[in-house]
């Protein structure tokens, strides 16, 4: 009799602890499955070189301030289908390198300080695509409305950073610098 | 001899026009229409997910038109998640007529595997049926 109730107490304890910890971890995560990433490398007078991905994944852990993002290369859509084909086959080689990832950390950030006003937050991390890595440090504009954290920003990178070769015949039609913009709406998980 | 000159000029002009049309059509060809393309694979959401998680098996699905069935587990704007395994983005807004627990079949382009969420992503999808 004694043994049984002991066991029940122990089990109850584990259920409670388990419940509390899972709730804690669940509360600390914000998620966006439909993050928008746009990159543009257009040159004046030439056709725009621009693509958009509307299903990037972003996870923000507001306890550790760690952020992770993933975009599938095949998810980038161009206005011009031939450009999309060349992007996948010749430049980004999406069959070999299907995704781009960013893993980083928000600096001096406290999620509790966020409100409806725009707050500038620094982020530092590593962008990996085409099998190469590059340190990216930039600023984010963040605000919180209800349970949603909005995060927008941009940075500049180059094809060279990721060892992406641009053939001579199109070199003057593609900008040396690529502007990357993103717009994430993260919901509490 | 002199009478032939206009014809030569005319045929050169025609040839140039035809060439430029061909070049234009090549450079500005239409995007694929996933909704009317034939289905390459017809699988359940969980089969697609487990296959996509293995790089060897994944490559045969990428960029192909897949038909997927399962139960709706989440709805978000114009997206649904099937069996917590496959995230589907529709071309047209159809999510208003859907609810969780509903069984659906969709057709779309397999974009790839998101290993952060362990989720397959499908875009340009159309609803085949729901019941």
């Amino acid at each position: 009799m004694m043994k049984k109730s002991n066991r029940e107490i122990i089990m109850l304890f584990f259920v409670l602890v388990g419940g509390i910890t899972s709730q804690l971890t669940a509360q600390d995560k914000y998620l966006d499955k439909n993050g928008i990433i746009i990159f543009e490398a257009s040159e004046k007078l030439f056709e725009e070189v621009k693509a958009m991905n509307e299903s990037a994944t972003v996870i923000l852990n507001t306890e550790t301030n760690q952020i992770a993002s993933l975009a599938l290369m095949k998810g980038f859509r161009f206005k011009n289908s031939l450009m999309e084909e060349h992007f996948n086959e010749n430049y980004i080689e999406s069959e070999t390198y299907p995704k781009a990832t960013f893993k980083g950390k928000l600096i001096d950030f406290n999620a509790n300080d966020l409100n409806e006003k725009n707050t500038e937050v620094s982020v530092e991390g590593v962008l990996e695509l085409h099998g190469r890595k590059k340190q990216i440090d930039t600023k984010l504009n963040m605000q919180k409305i209800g349970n949603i954290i909005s995060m927008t920003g941009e940075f500049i990178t180059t094809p060279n950073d990721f060892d992406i070769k641009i053939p001579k015949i199109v070199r003057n039609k593609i900008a040396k610098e690529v502007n990357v913009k993103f717009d994430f709406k993260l919901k509490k998980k | 001899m002199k009478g032939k000159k206009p014809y030569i000029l005319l045929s050169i002009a025609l040839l140039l026009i035809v060439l430029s049309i061909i070049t234009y059509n090549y450079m500005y060809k239409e995007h694929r229409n996933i909704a009317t393309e034939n289905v390459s694979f017809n699988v359940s959401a969980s089969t697609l997910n487990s296959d996509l998680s293995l790089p060897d098996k994944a490559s045969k699905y990428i960029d192909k038109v897949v038909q997927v069935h399962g139960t709706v587990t989440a709805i978000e704007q114009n997206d649904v998640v099937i069996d917590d395994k496959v995230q589907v983005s529709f071309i047209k807004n159809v999510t208003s007529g859907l609810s969780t627990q509903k069984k659906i079949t969709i057709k779309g382009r397999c974009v790839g595997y998101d290993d952060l969420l362990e989720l397959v992503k499908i875009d340009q999808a159309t609803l085949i049926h729901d019941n």
Side-chain angles (χ1 to χ4, degrees), chain A residues 26-43:
Chain A
Q27 272 180 351
D28 291 334
K29 276 194 179 158
Y30 284 79
L31 175 71
D32 187 358
K33 291 201 290 280
N34 292 96
I36 296 172
I37 300 175
I38 299 169
F39 73 80
E40 182 159 11
S42 303
E43 276 289 23

Side-chain angles (χ1 to χ4, degrees), chain B residues 20 32 41 56 66-67 73 86 104 112 122:
Chain B
S20 46
R32 293 167 66 187
F41 299 97
D56 297 346
V66 290
Q67 185 163 320
T73 46
V86 179
I104 61 165
I122 287 180

Side-chain angles (χ1 to χ4, degrees), chain A residues 100-114:
Chain A
T101 57
F102 177 83
K103 289 193 170 74
K105 208 174 172 187
L106 305 188
I107 310 300
D108 301 325
F109 172 73
N110 186 349
N112 298 322
D113 296 341
L114 278 183

Side-chain angles (χ1 to χ4, degrees), chain A residues 40 66 82 123 143:
Chain A
E40 182 159 11
Q66 262 157 342
L82 187 68
V123 62
Q143 58 186 137

Side-chain angles (χ1 to χ4, degrees), chain B residues 66-131:
Chain B
V66 290
Q67 185 163 320
V68 182
H69 53 89
T71 308
V72 176
T73 46
I75 301 174
E76 214 176 280
Q77 292 147 30
N78 206 24
D79 274 45
V80 297
V81 178
I82 302 176
D83 292 332
D84 291 322
K85 304 276 188 199
V86 179
Q87 181 190 345
V88 181
S89 304
F90 290 102
I91 313 174
K92 288 189 194 128
N93 198 341
V94 291
T95 51
S96 52
L98 295 175
S99 55
T100 50
Q101 303 307 319
K102 232 179 194 180
K103 284 205 182 329
I104 61 165
T105 305
I106 63 95
K107 175 183 170 184
R109 178 183 72 129
C110 183
V111 182
Y113 187 70
D114 174 344
D115 47 17
L116 276 183
L117 299 174
E118 297 179 331
L119 206 58
V120 177
K121 297 216 175 189
I122 287 180
D123 71 359
Q124 301 168 67
T126 43
L127 191 61
I128 302 297
H129 52 80
D130 57 320
N131 37 39

Side-chain angles (χ1 to χ4, degrees), chain A residues 31-34 47 54-59 68-70 72-86 88 95 99 101 103 173 187, chain B residues 23 26-32 59 62-63 74 76-81 87-89 109-117 119-124:
Chain A
L31 175 71
D32 187 358
K33 291 201 290 280
N34 292 96
E47 193 180 354
E54 294 177 283
S55 57
T57 295
V58 189
I59 303 172
S69 177
L70 181 149
L72 293 169
M73 303 322 302
K74 289 268 188 202
F76 281 97
R77 307 295 312 280
F78 292 72
K79 212 181 265 174
N80 183 327
S81 65
L82 187 68
M83 209 184 271
E84 190 171 309
E85 208 175 292
H86 288 170
N88 279 299
E95 255 174 59
K99 64 190 178 189
T101 57
K103 289 193 170 74
K173 295 176 186 168
K187 286 179 200 76
Chain B
T23 320
Y26 172 71
M27 285 180 69
Y28 299 98
K29 65 180 173 190
E30 297 261 325
H31 276 278
R32 293 167 66 187
S59 54
I62 307 292
D63 224 19
E76 214 176 280
Q77 292 147 30
N78 206 24
D79 274 45
V80 297
V81 178
Q87 181 190 345
V88 181
S89 304
R109 178 183 72 129
C110 183
V111 182
Y113 187 70
D114 174 344
D115 47 17
L116 276 183
L117 299 174
L119 206 58
V120 177
K121 297 216 175 189
I122 287 180
D123 71 359
Q124 301 168 67

Side-chain angles (χ1 to χ4, degrees), chain A residues 10-52:
Chain A
I10 290 169
M11 273 179 64
L12 184 70
F13 173 77
F14 275 115
V15 168
L16 277 175
V17 169
I20 290 165
T21 47
S22 69
Q23 214 167 21
L24 271 179
T25 48
Q27 272 180 351
D28 291 334
K29 276 194 179 158
Y30 284 79
L31 175 71
D32 187 358
K33 291 201 290 280
N34 292 96
I36 296 172
I37 300 175
I38 299 169
F39 73 80
E40 182 159 11
S42 303
E43 276 289 23
K44 271 179 199 153
L45 305 175
F46 287 103
E47 193 180 354
E48 67 167 18
V49 180
K50 185 180 180 183
M52 174 156 83

